Amino acid sequence: MAIRVASIFAEIGLVLNEFDRGMASVRRSFNGLNTAVEESGAVLRRAGFALTAISAGAAAVGKAAVGTFVEFEQSIANVASVRDGMQSDFAALEKAARQAAITTIFTANQAADAMYVLGSAGLEAAEIFAALEPILALAAATQAEIADTARLVVSNMVAFQIPFRDTTRVANTFAAAISNSQATLERLINSTKFVAPVARAAGISFEQMTAALAKLLDAGISASTAGVYLRGILLSLQNPTAKARA
């Protein structure tokens, strides 16, 4: 049963009132997410380029110091071995990691480690290629750990059954939430894990769920509590009490 977004934010308003926080202009904030999402690609690029400029010297030293050619080859071998049939994609995986080292602030070894996380999550080679650079861009923009970023993005894409060719959409939405609210990547990890499967079953989009969590986090509610509250709201709206139905 699809749930109206207005009902979700009405319930969130009640939760926030209990915390004496209030929630002014919730609908404007939600509508504003569309603009934020559209702008988040630029946010990612600006953050990535800014981080590159700030740490240009450190990045150069890091790339020279991290790993040897043998270590890189072993990292790629680890990726290829994580799933049956991926060994035939060894050359393509190696090329993707080296390309990521050119287009992002990360080393080829770090890109290979990210691919290992993605492969371990069950992604096929083609899905890894589609997801890699958007995930690295989000990690750079938020200065978060690559593994954490990959797990956040992948877990939500799986929960909402979003194809991995749309990884940029998910990365942009998270970037917009982090840029425009009190959300952080860690807080999103700790909140979405409670609510994402329920949100999809309730007919709520990934973007709507993220917007609702951002409002709860803005109110100073902890990440796990925000996820549990939103989960409870969605479940209650799916199964209203007899009094509520009356």
Side-chain angles (χ1 to χ4, degrees):
M1 177 184 70
I3 297 173
R4 290 190 308 162
V5 174
S7 299
I8 298 172
F9 282 99
E11 292 291 332
I12 289 176
L14 296 177
V15 171
L16 297 184
N17 285 337
E18 293 176 5
F19 281 80
D20 296 322
R21 299 287 185 173
M23 189 169 70
S25 305
V26 169
R27 188 163 298 183
R28 286 200 302 274
S29 297
F30 175 71
N31 290 339
L33 183 69
N34 289 332
T35 300
V37 169
E38 290 173 1
E39 294 174 350
S40 61
V43 171
L44 287 173
R45 289 191 295 273
R46 287 198 301 272
F49 287 138
L51 190 57
T52 301
I54 292 170
S55 60
V61 172
K63 288 188 178 184
V66 175
T68 64
F69 176 77
V70 173
E71 291 171 335
F72 173 67
E73 291 293 298
Q74 183 59 54
S75 295
I76 296 298
N78 291 341
V79 178
S81 67
V82 78
R83 287 185 62 80
D84 291 339
M86 202 175 284
Q87 290 83 357
S88 61
D89 297 302
F90 188 97
L93 292 167
E94 182 176 1
K95 181 179 179 181
R98 293 189 184 281
Q99 180 63 28
I102 295 172
T103 58
T104 75
I105 67 168
F106 298 107
T107 67
N109 273 33
Q110 289 173 310
D113 290 342
M115 291 195 293
Y116 181 81
V117 173
L118 296 175
S120 298
L123 276 67
E124 302 290 347
E127 294 172 326
I128 291 175
F129 299 148
L132 180 61
E133 291 202 21
I135 287 173
L136 292 179
L138 179 60
T142 57
Q143 300 186 44
E145 293 292 330
I146 297 174
D148 291 340
T149 307
R151 292 187 184 102
L152 172 66
V153 171
V154 170
S155 63
N156 279 274
M157 294 186 75
V158 170
F160 282 92
Q161 296 186 5
I162 300 172
F164 286 97
R165 64 176 177 271
D166 294 333
T167 304
T168 297
R169 164 194 161 195
V170 174
N172 284 355
T173 300
F174 281 140
I178 292 168
S179 178
N180 293 281
S181 75
Q182 292 299 310
T184 64
L185 193 126
E186 181 180 5
R187 289 171 183 169
L188 289 170
I189 290 172
N190 291 328
S191 57
T192 59
K193 66 183 180 182
F194 291 105
V195 71
V198 171
R200 181 185 175 276
I204 299 303
S205 74
F206 163 71
E207 288 82 1
Q208 291 166 342
M209 177 201 71
T210 304
L213 287 173
K215 292 313 300 179
L216 290 167
L217 293 171
D218 275 348
I221 298 174
S222 70
S224 58
T225 301
V228 170
Y229 271 149
L230 184 55
R231 176 188 175 92
I233 289 169
L234 294 175
L235 290 174
S236 68
L237 290 172
Q238 282 185 285
N239 301 288
T241 63
K243 181 179 179 180
R245 286 194 296 268

